[in-house]
């Protein structure tokens, strides 16, 4: 989950605000600063038939892009002429396949809680971005912080940068997987902030999302056709833009017994 205080007064953790503050500070100082957040399309369960799932999704949308005080809305109010994707953006991962005479697609459910910072530090654990995990008196959580002692010569936004071997290789492998690239192309992803690869990430995610939305909008499966196969063959890797408009016409109202 990604549910933080920008979504409403009952949520206490301020992680989303902290990220926004970092972005705004970087813009004011003229620095390149990029945040990539990958979340599930929806929590486990079907959002069409399960009010609980929609309720949780509603709080996530209010953190990210709706409700008046979300991250996207706050950014656009302050910097209406800047491209938000050059600073932070939200993504999902999807896949597709052919089953007999049908074409199907589904999210790859992101259950990992992983953060890679500057190709130097890695945090991996059990905590979600929500009050159950972040307040400290609810769910029990555990995390490991990896700070590698083996440093390598690398680059960040075209400038020399010392990277930690584990963090750097993990991030490179994730880039290759999500972008549908081969291991032989690893040199192209070694600098995560450089426009050549960062813009490729943004454009690939947008292209993939457009293809899935065109073919499967609000459907999990469609009949096979040569035209659909031709379009799906253009999907690269798994990364897609997070759909900020999904269920925007749906009541995401309160469901009893659900804790955020």
């Amino acid at each position: 989950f990604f549910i933080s205080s920008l979504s409403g007064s009952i949520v206490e953790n301020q992680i989303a605000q902290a990220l926004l503050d970092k972005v705004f500070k970087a813009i004011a100082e003229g620095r390149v600063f990029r945040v990539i957040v990958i979340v599930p399309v929806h929590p486990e369960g079907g959002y069409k038939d399960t009010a609980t799932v929609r309720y949780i999704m509603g709080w996530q949308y209010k953190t990210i892009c709706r409700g008046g005080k979300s991250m996207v809305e706050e950014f656009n109010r302050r910097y209406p002429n800047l491209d938000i994707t050059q600073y932070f953006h939200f993504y999902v991962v999807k896949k597709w396949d052919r089953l007999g005479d049908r074409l199907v697609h589904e999210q790859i459910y992101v259950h990992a809680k992983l953060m890679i910072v500057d190709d130097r530090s890695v945090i991996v654990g059990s905590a979600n971005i929500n009050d159950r995990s972040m307040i400290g008196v609810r769910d029990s959580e555990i995390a490991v912080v990896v700070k590698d002692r083996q440093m390598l010569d690398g680059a960040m936004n075209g400038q020399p940068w010392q990277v930690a071997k584990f963090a750097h290789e993990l991030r490179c492998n994730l880039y290759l997987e999500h972008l549908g690239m081969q291991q032989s192309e690893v040199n192209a992803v070694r600098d995560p902030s450089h426009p050549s690869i960062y813009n490729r990430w943004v454009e690939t995610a947008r292209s993939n999302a457009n293809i899935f939305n065109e073919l499967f909008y609000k459907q999990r499966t469609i009949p096979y056709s040569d035209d659909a196969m031709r379009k799906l063959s253009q999907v690269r890797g798994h990364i897609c833009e997070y759909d900020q408009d999904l269920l925007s016409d749906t009541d995401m109202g309160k469901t009893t017994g659900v804790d955020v």
Side-chain angles (χ1 to χ4, degrees):
F1 307 136
F2 195 93
I3 299 172
S4 193
S5 59
L6 294 176
S7 63
S9 59
I10 70 167
V11 182
E12 297 180 29
N13 83 82
Q14 298 183 15
I15 290 177
Q17 185 63 60
L19 285 174
L20 266 187
D21 290 344
K22 286 286 189 181
V23 169
F24 294 159
K25 186 173 186 288
I27 293 173
E29 295 173 353
R31 293 187 292 107
V32 172
F33 186 83
R34 310 196 196 275
V35 180
I36 290 173
V37 184
I38 301 177
V39 295
V41 176
H42 58 81
E44 290 182 280
Y47 64 83
K48 291 183 179 180
D49 305 317
T50 308
T52 299
V53 172
R54 292 195 300 275
Y55 178 62
I56 294 171
M57 291 174 70
W59 281 100
Q60 183 160 286
Y61 280 124
K62 286 191 287 185
T63 300
I64 296 171
C65 58
R66 300 180 195 167
K69 297 182 178 179
S70 68
M71 294 182 73
V72 170
E73 291 165 308
E74 289 289 340
F75 181 95
N76 288 335
R77 265 193 294 272
R78 185 173 296 198
Y79 297 105
N81 297 319
L82 293 183
D83 179 2
I84 193 172
T85 66
Q86 292 299 305
Y87 299 94
F88 74 91
H89 209 40
F90 288 80
Y91 300 91
V92 300
V93 281
K94 294 183 177 183
K95 61 182 179 180
W96 69 273
D97 208 339
R98 178 180 179 179
L99 295 177
D101 61 352
R102 306 289 296 181
L103 296 171
V104 299
H105 94 297
E106 185 57 91
Q107 70 166 323
I108 301 172
Y109 189 76
V110 179
H111 200 268
K113 287 81 173 181
L114 171 71
M115 180 166 64
I116 304 172
V117 181
D118 294 340
D119 275 9
R120 287 182 175 176
S121 300
V122 176
I123 300 175
V124 58
S126 62
N128 287 290
I129 306 299
N130 65 0
D131 277 4
R132 286 181 54 178
S133 294
M134 291 292 122
I135 294 302
V137 294
R138 297 189 188 178
D139 293 2
S140 298
E141 307 289 2
I142 190 170
V144 174
V145 179
V146 182
K147 291 191 174 181
D148 204 325
R149 295 179 180 177
Q150 185 175 357
M151 305 299 289
L152 307 171
D153 291 333
M156 193 66 67
N157 196 39
Q159 300 299 314
W161 183 258
Q162 286 283 293
V163 300
K165 185 176 188 295
F166 176 77
H168 176 69
E169 292 182 353
L170 175 60
R171 201 267 312 149
C172 285
N173 286 332
L174 289 172
Y175 266 48
L176 293 174
E177 178 182 355
H178 290 326
L179 292 171
M181 299 171 67
Q182 302 300 312
Q183 191 65 40
S184 60
E185 300 176 273
V186 67
N187 286 338
V189 303
R190 291 203 181 278
D191 182 343
S193 289
H194 194 279
S196 62
I197 189 60
Y198 185 80
N199 289 339
R200 180 170 177 172
W201 176 284
V202 172
E203 291 160 7
T204 299
R206 183 169 297 147
S207 174
N208 288 346
N210 288 341
I211 293 169
F212 280 121
N213 289 340
E214 178 185 351
L215 295 175
F216 293 102
Y217 183 66
K218 292 188 177 180
Q219 301 179 81
R220 183 174 176 269
T221 175
I222 59 173
Y224 171 87
S225 72
D226 291 338
D227 183 59
M229 278 293 291
R230 179 183 59 79
K231 291 177 180 177
L232 286 170
S233 69
Q234 299 172 28
V235 170
R236 295 290 178 263
H238 305 298
I239 198 68
C240 297
E241 280 189 317
Y242 181 73
D243 188 349
Q244 298 182 18
D245 295 321
L246 181 65
L247 300 181
S248 59
D249 57 351
T250 302
D251 179 14
M252 314 289 276
K254 183 171 177 55
T255 298
T256 58
V258 181
D259 194 358
V260 294

